Amino acid sequence: MFDVLLKMDGGSTVEPYNLLKSLSSHLGYSGEIRGPSEAAEISKRMKETEAKLPLQMTFIKILRATTSNSTLEKFYEEGGWDVLLDWLQQGKDNMVESLLINLLQLYLTLPVTLSLMKKNETPKTIKSLIKDKNLSEEVRKLAKEVKDKWLEIITISAEGAKKARKDGKENPSTPKNGQKMDAEEGFEGKSEKESSKQRTTVKQFGSKMRSLGFDQEEGPLRLGKKKSELAKPDIKLASSVANLKVAKNER
């Protein structure tokens, strides 16, 4: 089991080996987390781990070897999702590209939902990597891949919610539109009253992206007047012209 994980970097060091040895009862043959109950311990150990690259890389390998959704969900619940964000921010602040690359590759394989994205600022941090000219092309490209993949999840989630409302099959326990939008717009700080006034299908989807830091880089879409509105005569202007004609005739 240890060889499987240690060879992923083409070598081994004392610290990762000792870490794996201490975690052996929580890991399977391929180095994956055994199950949900073990996921809590892995999350705890990650929080306690010093910011040492070899140890961080070892935990990332363990997570990449884990394919059970229920196990990973438990890992998220126990604070693991926030730990990954802390490490992502460390990699960005200290320009540790090897850490950033491994984390982004991990994000591409992890099962991610819309609700999970909203738990912290991971999407915004990943988006910031795309625009950081101080980072290598490899890092920015990987960050773009993660963003594109997560945008697909947002799109599917929005379409599914719309269809559920249309079919009248929305789960009673699902928050109403106002409550749902408040959660999605949490980063923007909009109130329920403000959100309900502005809500349209297009804005709902746009709010999902903006709240997660995935707003479209080209800027907001600006719509002009409808043709029907352009065709409408200006009543006040027409009335004024009519009055002038009457006054002229009376002379």
Side-chain angles (χ1 to χ4, degrees):
M1 175 188 71
F2 293 172
D3 291 341
V4 172
L5 290 174
L6 292 172
K7 287 181 180 179
M8 289 176 73
D9 262 347
S12 64
T13 61
V14 174
E15 284 184 320
Y17 184 86
N18 290 337
L19 174 63
L20 289 171
K21 190 174 180 180
S22 68
L23 295 173
S24 60
S25 62
H26 303 288
L27 305 178
Y29 178 77
S30 299
E32 77 282 6
I33 305 173
R34 284 185 183 276
S37 58
E38 288 80 10
E41 180 61 25
I42 296 297
S43 177
K44 178 184 176 184
R45 292 291 296 274
M46 285 177 66
K47 293 176 187 176
E48 298 171 349
T49 297
E50 297 180 49
K52 292 183 178 180
L53 188 59
L55 299 181
Q56 291 172 320
M57 292 294 204
T58 302
F59 277 114
I60 291 173
K61 293 171 192 174
I62 290 172
L63 291 171
R64 289 187 67 182
T66 305
T67 57
S68 168
N69 283 359
S70 60
T71 299
L72 290 169
E73 285 170 7
K74 184 63 176 178
F75 168 77
Y76 300 151
E77 291 173 8
E78 294 297 325
W81 185 248
D82 290 330
V83 174
L84 291 178
L85 174 58
D86 289 341
W87 291 4
L88 185 69
Q89 194 62 55
Q90 288 173 23
K92 178 187 174 184
D93 293 343
N94 300 316
M95 301 293 289
V96 185
E97 293 212 347
S98 57
L99 178 58
L100 291 174
I101 288 170
N102 277 270
L103 281 170
L104 291 169
Q105 289 173 339
L106 174 63
Y107 282 127
L108 282 171
T109 62
L110 288 175
V112 176
T113 63
L114 177 59
S115 60
L116 184 63
M117 286 186 234
K118 293 188 292 184
K119 285 186 178 296
N120 59 29
E121 295 194 359
T122 297
K124 286 188 175 183
T125 305
I126 290 175
K127 181 186 173 183
S128 70
L129 298 178
I130 300 173
K131 299 180 178 182
D132 194 335
K133 301 300 182 182
N134 294 317
L135 296 173
S136 68
E137 182 65 25
E138 182 179 6
V139 172
R140 287 185 281 132
K141 183 179 178 181
L142 276 171
K144 177 74 163 51
E145 287 180 21
V146 176
K147 175 188 173 181
D148 291 344
K149 183 176 181 180
W150 288 6
L151 277 175
E152 289 181 13
I153 296 173
I154 296 171
T155 303
I156 293 171
S157 175
E159 290 175 350
K162 180 181 176 182
K163 187 176 185 301
R165 289 193 297 272
K166 184 177 180 181
D167 296 343
K169 296 178 180 179
E170 192 169 9
N171 192 321
S173 63
T174 301
K176 299 300 180 183
N177 282 346
Q179 296 170 320
K180 184 176 178 62
M181 291 303 296
D182 281 345
E184 291 161 354
E185 296 173 342
F187 290 124
E188 297 180 342
K190 290 186 178 181
S191 68
E192 182 176 350
K193 186 175 181 180
E194 291 172 327
S195 299
S196 62
K197 287 181 180 178
Q198 300 174 0
R199 193 169 300 114
T200 65
T201 302
V202 174
K203 286 183 179 178
Q204 284 183 10
F205 177 67
S207 295
K208 283 185 172 67
M209 293 194 291
R210 288 193 298 274
S211 68
L212 296 169
F214 284 167
D215 54 309
Q216 294 190 0
E217 295 172 12
E218 295 81 3
L221 180 65
R222 300 186 182 279
L223 300 177
K225 291 184 178 181
K226 297 179 181 178
K227 289 183 178 180
S228 59
E229 292 176 340
L230 292 173
K232 287 181 180 179
D234 190 319
I235 297 175
K236 291 183 178 180
L237 178 61
S239 177
S240 298
V241 172
N243 290 336
L244 286 172
K245 287 183 177 180
V246 170
K248 186 177 181 181
N249 291 335
E250 287 178 351
R251 291 177 185 176

